[in-house]
Amino acid sequence: MPRTLITSAIPYINGIKHLGNLVGSQLPADLYARYLRLRGHEVMFICATDEHGTPAELAAAKAGKPVAEYCAEMWQVQKDLADGFRLSFDHFGRSSSPQNHRLTQHFAGRLAEAGLIEERSEKQVYSKADGRFLPDRYIEGTCPNCGYERARGDQCENCTKQLDPTDLIDPRSAISGSTDLEVRETKHLYLRQSLLRDRLDQWIDGQEGWPILTTSIAKKWLHDGDGLQDRGITRDLDWGIPVRKGAEPWPGMEGKVFYVWFDAPIEYIAATNEWADATDGDWERWWRTDKGAEDVRYVQFMGKDNVPFHTLSFPATLLGSGEPWKTVDYLKSFNYLNYDGGQFSTSQGRGVFMDQALEVLPADYWRWWLLSHVPENQDTEFTWEIFQANVNKDLADVLGNFVSRVTKFCRSKFGEVVPDGGAWGETEAALIARLAKGLEAYQGHMDAIEIRKAAAELRGLWVAGNEYLQEAAPWSVFKEDPDKAAAQIRLALNLIPFYATLSAPFIPDAAETMHGAMGTEPAWPEDVEATLATLAPGHAFTVPDVLFAKISDDDRAAWAERFAGTRD
């Protein structure tokens, strides 16, 4: 049985994620995990909340709660929303877990022993009013490039320009708003990534078939300008993983924590460790090549902004440790989903967020549209008009209409059982040949993680069933030749579980409803002709409720107005 390890970029704990976050990592990862399980793979699908760093502290302060309490509450919120969107994680962990503390400190110790960590003095902004050093994101001010007044000390979200805190005009503390700031000297640890540049370059060159987006970003960071830079891995914060060398103290680093971008990717391993501790499983067979992980295929999913850390910094940690850790085999990266002419934004509350989406429509509506429009090769634009048109056409008019017409016609003419009589002819043989060809293409696209192409092929399979009904016209044939109509409907009824299985990675709730109505279980169709004869005459079924209700113009207009501003 093939074994596949799947991780999606772990979301920050600071609030509910928007649909752009969802389609940029978790949702396509879930699609792939569901597909591989259907194909018989052993899958370990891991995600977690990213709970350390500036965003967590700021969000907790805004909520008026201790940061640990805030993170625990938001983990549950994000877990519930993941369940609402039917994300089939094997484990949804927390980067604040004891397992991640232990592993992060372990890696730091190994890297130090290898000479890959260096202590450096640097100048950092200190807030007298807050009595603390301020990490880049704790400093706000006016962007010198575009004039945006809420730019952060690391980047302007409005124009995306990379910044240093000293670049900001009228800088202030994001905690207290104080402008009484000064630059002081402090010490931090740096991961000497530059020493691993050649090794990382060779490692990237050895990866087969990576998306162009992934490799181009990684190579740019490796070679543009001065090339790969050493990266600070500690911060002057209260909340985080204390700086230690394994189990030993780290002299001079008292009161400091590891930087979130050092410990967050390690949580992929730690979350699998969390899963093992909860289930009595073996996490090392997924992550250690000396413990069985040599035959694991590891696939990561993330937005393009996360690519540098996952192609360079995290591999530098794993390779630099000198231990036999499993590194990624395929990294699927995505462009951005834009909202109605602008960007989705968590900090600005702009767009549709996961909780709001589920208040408006069931998960399958969102899953289908987002996955069939996933921003693989370029940014994708969400508008309510496009969303309404695609959902109504694909889900209601094509798939939902097929299921409804077939089951209701059969009930009215033959009862709620698969009818006997008649034999297939040339029209049925042509349909089976078309479905077999479409299935092969669908499998090829899913294997290659070409999601938009896979969605288009799946839609084509649904369309083939509708076109067959139109051509065969069993409602007319029934008047002259009931046996022939019975054979046509028997084939059409068998198409429903066939569609349900193939559609399950995209729309799992509808797939479950279809299987439930037909009294079937998911089974991948290795032979299309044999699969379409699975339901024998006399097999009972029920007519399901409407699978997908159409989105009305009034609903579309109301939602467009509701989400035209920003979230409170």
Side-chain angles (χ1 to χ4, degrees):
M1 179 186 297
R3 292 200 294 139
T4 307
L5 171 65
I6 300 172
T7 61
S8 63
I10 66 178
Y12 269 131
I13 197 70
N14 62 329
I16 294 167
K17 304 298 108 176
H18 54 63
L19 296 183
N21 298 132
L22 178 65
V23 76
S25 59
Q26 294 176 323
L27 189 54
D30 178 71
L31 174 84
Y32 191 55
R34 287 177 175 274
Y35 168 72
L36 291 183
R37 292 189 191 110
L38 282 169
R39 298 303 307 275
H41 287 225
E42 182 183 1
V43 172
M44 178 60 63
F45 179 23
I46 291 294
C47 194
T49 42
D50 185 356
E51 301 187 9
H52 296 138
T54 308
E57 287 199 355
L58 288 176
K62 184 178 181 180
K65 296 179 179 179
V67 65
E69 178 184 333
Y70 171 82
C71 287
E73 290 180 3
M74 287 307 303
W75 175 86
Q76 189 62 59
V77 168
Q78 293 201 21
K79 173 65 167 60
D80 291 344
L81 288 172
D83 292 343
F85 274 93
R86 307 298 186 255
L87 303 179
S88 58
F89 303 126
D90 288 286
H91 186 74
F92 187 65
R94 302 182 61 185
S95 69
S96 61
S97 68
Q99 292 87 343
N100 200 35
H101 278 236
R102 178 182 61 80
L103 278 165
T104 298
Q105 292 165 344
H106 167 80
F107 276 109
R110 294 288 304 184
L111 291 165
E113 292 172 9
L116 293 171
I117 290 182
E118 184 174 78
E119 183 178 306
R120 298 180 184 177
S121 294
E122 61 182 58
K123 295 186 182 300
Q124 193 170 331
V125 176
Y126 185 88
S127 169
K128 294 180 181 178
D130 299 308
R132 61 182 295 174
F133 286 98
L134 297 180
D136 297 349
R137 286 195 174 200
Y138 273 40
I139 306 165
E140 293 181 345
T142 300
C143 175
N145 185 54
C146 71
Y148 180 58
E149 295 182 351
R150 293 176 55 195
R152 299 191 308 257
D154 60 344
Q155 185 180 29
C156 176
E157 188 179 64
N158 186 57
C159 69
T160 72
K161 184 176 178 61
Q162 299 288 318
L163 299 169
D164 288 321
T166 53
D167 296 330
L168 294 173
I169 301 169
D170 299 326
R172 61 189 178 276
S173 166
I175 303 171
S176 62
S178 173
T179 58
D180 189 7
L181 310 177
E182 66 181 28
V183 177
R184 293 186 181 181
E185 190 170 278
T186 184
K187 292 183 178 180
H188 283 292
L189 300 178
Y190 275 73
L191 177 60
R192 302 175 71 186
Q193 296 183 142
S194 58
L195 298 182
L196 294 166
R197 183 186 296 121
D198 292 343
R199 188 174 178 187
L200 288 168
D201 204 7
Q202 293 172 4
W203 175 75
I204 292 169
D205 287 341
Q207 308 305 312
E208 295 183 1
W210 275 17
I212 294 174
L213 179 63
T214 299
T215 51
S216 62
I217 292 173
K219 289 290 189 176
K220 181 177 181 179
W221 278 61
L222 270 173
H223 299 300
D224 279 11
D226 295 328
L228 184 63
Q229 299 295 299
D230 297 340
R231 187 168 185 84
I233 62 168
T234 58
R235 288 292 186 269
D236 291 298
L237 293 172
D238 296 324
W239 173 247
I241 297 175
V243 178
R244 300 178 68 88
K245 294 180 181 179
E248 300 299 320
W250 202 309
M253 292 292 118
E254 296 83 2
K256 298 180 188 291
V257 300
F258 285 108
Y259 180 35
V260 62
W261 263 112
F262 181 68
D263 80 75
I266 295 171
E267 170 58 16
Y268 298 136
I269 306 173
T272 317
N273 192 171
E274 296 167 40
W275 161 83
D277 289 346
T279 61
D280 198 28
D282 181 0
W283 66 273
E284 290 186 315
R285 69 187 286 264
W286 293 99
W287 284 103
R288 299 271 305 203
T289 57
D290 60 338
K291 300 291 182 65
E294 69 278 356
D295 64 346
V296 169
R297 183 170 189 254
Y298 178 18
V299 183
Q300 294 177 344
F301 290 80
M302 70 197 62
K304 60 185 177 183
D305 53 331
N306 283 333
V307 169
F309 302 103
H310 288 80
T311 56
L312 301 172
S313 297
F314 185 38
T317 296
L318 298 179
L319 298 172
S321 73
E323 296 178 319
W325 295 101
K326 178 66 183 176
T327 56
V328 65
D329 294 300
Y330 189 81
L331 195 155
K332 178 72 174 182
S333 55
F334 298 93
N335 290 285
Y336 294 140
L337 176 69
N338 294 321
Y339 180 72
D340 218 12
Q343 288 186 330
F344 276 88
S345 171
T346 299
S347 62
Q348 296 181 27
R350 189 174 191 281
V352 183
F353 289 73
M354 289 173 66
D355 59 337
Q356 297 170 328
L358 293 178
E359 291 171 6
V360 167
L361 286 167
D364 277 356
Y365 291 74
W366 298 107
R367 288 180 62 103
W368 173 254
W369 192 89
L370 290 169
L371 288 168
S372 61
H373 292 77
V374 65
E376 285 178 300
N377 300 316
Q378 60 187 14
D379 291 351
T380 297
E381 182 79 10
F382 175 94
T383 71
W384 287 101
E385 290 80 9
I386 294 173
F387 177 71
Q388 177 196 27
N390 292 153
V391 164
N392 286 353
K393 179 181 178 182
D394 297 343
L395 298 182
D397 289 345
V398 180
L399 180 61
N401 183 55
F402 177 84
V403 173
S404 178
R405 290 174 74 189
V406 171
T407 54
K408 288 181 178 178
F409 177 77
C410 186
R411 179 175 62 184
S412 68
K413 302 301 182 184
F414 303 103
E416 292 188 3
V417 295
V418 177
D420 197 358
W424 294 343
E426 292 182 1
T427 304
E428 288 71 34
L431 172 64
I432 291 170
R434 180 178 176 184
L435 294 174
K437 183 178 180 181
L439 173 61
E440 183 179 5
Y442 176 66
Q443 290 176 172
H445 294 316
M446 290 292 276
D447 289 338
I449 321 181
E450 297 171 331
I451 298 172
R452 290 182 76 134
K453 290 181 179 178
E457 203 63 55
L458 178 60
R459 185 192 300 111
L461 291 170
W462 298 342
V463 168
N466 280 275
E467 290 178 345
Y468 168 73
L469 277 187
Q470 288 300 110
E471 181 180 355
W475 43 86
S476 298
V477 171
F478 180 81
K479 300 172 185 177
E480 304 294 333
D481 191 345
D483 279 353
K484 184 176 181 180
Q488 293 168 338
I489 287 298
R490 188 165 63 250
L491 175 59
L493 287 170
N494 271 279
L495 272 175
I496 295 175
F498 174 78
Y499 286 157
T501 297
L502 299 186
S503 305
F506 285 89
I507 45 174
D509 286 348
E512 184 177 346
T513 297
M514 286 189 279
H515 276 303
M518 303 311 296
T520 53
E521 296 291 333
W524 196 260
E526 302 297 342
D527 181 318
V528 172
E529 185 171 3
T531 297
L532 295 182
T534 300
L535 301 184
H539 180 94
F541 69 89
T542 58
V543 176
D545 293 332
V546 174
L547 281 182
F548 295 100
K550 282 195 172 185
I551 298 172
S552 68
D553 290 344
D554 288 344
D555 283 339
R556 184 209 69 219
W559 297 336
E561 181 179 358
R562 175 182 172 185
F563 299 110
T566 58
R567 183 179 182 133
D568 294 333

